[in-house]
């Protein structure tokens, strides 16, 4: 699952792409200057690097993401749970909820997701 591992700067850059895609590479460099303080060369180096790694594509100076935000988020979440909680989802949830209140709507949504996950497992 290492294929979705991103460093912080790479994630911030991809976030800009996800928000603006498809985006012209020159326009992307302007956005990155404004939001990230990056020079044009830094943006173009990042485009090249993430294209080589299969995260984005740059066709006719139009940059789009190949990897979706949800794929990266899933990888990051699984990594945190594995690394910090020994792969235990209940331990992760307990730590997340410690000292925190959730609304009845949030609780119902979590229960619904658990019920759906149990149904999938039974099939």
């Amino acid at each position: 699952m290492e294929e979705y591992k991103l460093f912080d700067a790479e994630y911030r850059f991809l976030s800009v792409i996800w928000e603006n895609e498809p985006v012209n590479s020159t326009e992307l460099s302007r956005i990155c200057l404004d939001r990230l303080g990056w020079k044009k060369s830094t943006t173009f180096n990042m485009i090249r690097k993430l294209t080589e790694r299969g995260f984005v594509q740059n066709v006719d100076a139009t940059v789009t993401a190949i990897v979706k935000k949800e794929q990266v988020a899933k990888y990051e979440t699984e990594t945190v749970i594995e690394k910090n909680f020994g792969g235990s989802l209940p331990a992760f949830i307990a730590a997340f909820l410690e000292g925190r209140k959730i609304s009845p709507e949030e609780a119902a949504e979590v229960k619904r997701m658990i019920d759906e996950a149990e149904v999938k497992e039974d099939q």
Side-chain angles (χ1 to χ4, degrees), residues 34-99:
D34 182 50
R35 285 216 201 144
L36 306 174
W38 290 4
K39 295 179 182 177
K40 185 176 183 177
S41 61
T42 303
T43 298
F44 280 87
N45 281 334
M46 189 65 79
I47 291 170
R48 180 189 49 75
K49 180 180 177 183
L50 291 182
T51 297
E52 289 171 359
R53 291 182 53 204
F55 281 88
V56 301
Q57 61 185 359
N58 184 10
V59 178
D60 297 327
T62 299
V63 180
T64 55
I66 295 171
V67 174
K68 301 299 176 212
K69 187 174 187 175
E70 294 77 15
Q71 292 170 292
V72 173
K74 184 176 188 296
Y75 167 79
E76 293 285 337
T77 302
E78 290 172 356
T79 300
V80 165
I81 292 170
E82 186 60 40
K83 179 180 175 185
N84 297 309
F85 301 96
S88 170
L89 184 58
F92 168 76
I93 292 171
F96 181 79
L97 291 176
E98 187 175 325

Side-chain angles (χ1 to χ4, degrees), residues 115-123:
D115 291 343
E116 285 181 9
E118 287 176 340
V119 169
K120 288 178 189 175
E121 197 173 279
D122 293 341
Q123 294 175 352

